[in-house]
Amino acid sequence: MFKTVEWTRNGVVMIDQRVLPGVEVYRTYKDYKGVAGAIKDMVVRGAPAIGVAAAMGAALGGLKIRSNDPAIFKKEFLNVCKVLAATRPTAVNLFWAIKRMKDVAARNDTCGVAALKMLLVAEALAIHAQDIAICKRMGRHGGKLFKNGYTVLTHCNAGALATAGYGTALGVIRAAIESGKKIKVFADETRPFLQGARLTAWELQKDGIDTTLITDNMAGYMMKKGLINAVVVGADRIAANGDVANKIGTYTVAILAREHRIPFYVAAPLSTIDLKIKHGDRIPIEERSSKEVTHIQGKMVAPKGIKVKNPAFDVTPNALVSAIITEKGVVRKPYVKGLKGLFD
Ligand code: MRU
């Protein structure tokens, strides 16, 4: 089984998701700047995985600080966190994980720099281990929503590659299958970065899960034909009212699901829920390079000089979301109350 992000004696090791499924290459990052670059360039991607990588990057950054003076350590550590936080703006798990690391530093500012370094490493390892456990719990709750024989559509990659392991949306699918149900998957290819074609198809095929790849514009046709029983996607940030930011194209799938009376589920850990943001329109949406749209696998597929837009995420209004699956259970409307209740 592959490892998405791993803490090793040599540094932080990540499977390079940019080159999957063609080659399975692992890259080792020995300093926090390398980890920040890997997040920005999408060597590692997916909200929970980004959080885990950032935590490990912060631990690595902490370890490399030379000074034993607590005040200098604090200043330099906060700078490490700042660099890691400036990598990608939408997935709130990144900021959630960095805050956990900063909180450890703040709580233990009198224990000495050497001890604090060890605590930071321990916190990053805990975030990693907890993420896998959380995905499994989410899977147990969400798996019950699928009946035996269901075909489930998913968008982007919310699997083991997008988390420390097991996955959010794909974790729900995995759990349903592990409970003995026959579940088939339709995977949207997910232009422009092709997380569905390259990553979801790859990891589900590796697991022997019955998976059919479609291009994004085929989802409506499949639904009309009665070939899809439910949709399950992950999330990058969920506002207090249940609006969901996820990979561009998710909103379109949600509208299609509503039109065809198919349940639209979102699976996400509590670390993806941002109660400070009231509505989805306040969620910062990352705009990525135009090259992701004009080129496929390095080959230009559009005329030179054409104007391009490339928002990496969209926001699905809460009205279109049938339920949000978390590690603490399944939340339904009204989301303001249900989501807040998860933190009480
Ligand atoms: O740009 P990406 O590949 O980081 O976007 C990933 C997604 O949108 C996922 O669906 C989301 O992070 C949930 S992952 C469990």
Side-chain angles (χ1 to χ4, degrees):
M1 190 61 181
F2 61 87
K3 297 244 174 68
T4 305
V5 199
E6 200 185 5
W7 179 268
T8 73
R9 279 203 285 160
N10 295 328
V12 179
V13 178
M14 304 181 200
I15 189 167
D16 189 342
Q17 302 196 29
R18 299 167 306 179
V19 295
L20 284 173
V23 268
E24 211 174 310
V25 185
Y26 287 84
R27 311 225 174 258
T28 305
Y29 298 95
K30 292 181 185 294
D31 60 43
Y32 78 93
K33 284 190 181 152
V35 173
I39 296 172
K40 214 177 179 115
D41 294 347
M42 292 177 57
V43 171
V44 64
R45 32 67 49 203
I50 291 172
V52 172
M56 289 186 178
L60 207 52
L63 280 182
K64 293 274 167 81
I65 295 172
R66 291 230 175 91
S67 175
N68 277 324
D69 178 325
I72 298 176
F73 182 89
K74 184 180 172 193
K75 193 166 161 248
E76 290 189 21
F77 183 68
L78 289 180
N79 185 53
V80 166
C81 292
K82 200 169 157 197
V83 170
L84 288 161
T87 49
R88 296 193 72 191
T90 304
V92 74
N93 309 59
L94 175 80
F95 309 103
W96 169 88
I98 291 171
K99 183 174 179 308
R100 266 183 70 162
M101 299 301 284
K102 278 187 186 170
D103 286 350
V104 166
R107 271 201 311 274
N108 300 284
D109 60 349
T110 56
C111 71
V113 167
L116 177 52
K117 285 179 177 177
M118 292 306 111
L119 290 172
L120 289 170
V121 173
E123 186 71 358
L125 291 176
I127 290 174
H128 180 269
Q130 286 161 11
D131 188 56
I132 300 175
I134 284 169
C135 285
K136 294 214 164 153
R137 257 181 273 147
M138 221 181 308
R140 281 197 290 276
H141 291 300
K144 294 184 190 137
L145 297 168
F146 301 158
K147 292 196 181 118
N148 188 28
Y150 261 25
T151 297
V152 179
L153 175 76
T154 191
H155 189 74
C156 192
N157 172 269
L161 284 166
T163 58
Y166 204 67
T168 57
L170 298 193
V172 169
I173 291 168
R174 287 192 164 101
I177 293 171
E178 283 164 17
S179 75
K181 291 174 196 165
K182 275 207 161 54
I183 305 288
K184 291 183 183 169
V185 179
F186 269 61
D188 274 348
E189 71 168 345
T190 318
R191 275 280 286 151
F193 206 69
L194 302 176
Q195 287 94 332
R198 297 189 303 103
L199 309 176
T200 296
W202 181 75
E203 67 164 268
L204 291 183
Q205 191 183 56
K206 247 182 182 311
D207 267 10
I209 295 174
D210 186 328
T211 305
T212 303
L213 177 65
I214 57 172
T215 61
D216 300 331
N217 48 2
M218 294 174 188
Y221 177 81
M222 299 302 164
M223 289 183 186
K224 182 109 193 296
K225 286 229 150 214
L227 296 175
I228 313 264
N229 303 105
V231 176
V232 66
V233 296
D236 289 86
R237 196 183 296 224
I238 301 177
N241 71 342
D243 289 350
V244 174
N246 191 48
K247 181 52 53 194
I248 192 76
T250 302
Y251 173 47
T252 319
V253 176
I255 289 178
L256 287 171
R258 167 59 55 97
E259 173 69 17
H260 295 91
R261 295 187 173 75
I262 294 166
F264 179 89
Y265 299 120
V266 175
L270 265 61
S271 53
T272 303
I273 300 167
D274 186 355
L275 293 184
K276 289 201 293 301
I277 290 207
K278 299 255 174 299
H279 302 279
D281 52 13
R282 301 258 174 88
I283 298 174
I285 300 294
E286 178 183 10
E287 184 82 27
R288 291 189 62 86
S289 159
S290 61
K291 216 172 161 200
E292 288 181 358
V293 176
T294 55
H295 290 64
I296 296 181
Q297 308 269 279
K299 190 174 182 298
M300 195 150 171
V301 293
K304 207 165 174 237
I306 193 73
K307 284 199 285 181
V308 171
K309 280 230 173 266
N310 187 17
F313 303 94
D314 59 26
V315 176
T316 299
N318 58 20
L320 298 177
V321 179
S322 311
I324 297 174
I325 303 157
T326 75
E327 69 270 33
K328 280 201 174 174
V330 175
V331 178
R332 292 183 189 266
K333 295 177 191 101
Y335 289 115
V336 172
K337 194 163 165 250
L339 293 178
K340 189 171 170 293
L342 294 171
F343 294 88
D344 289 342

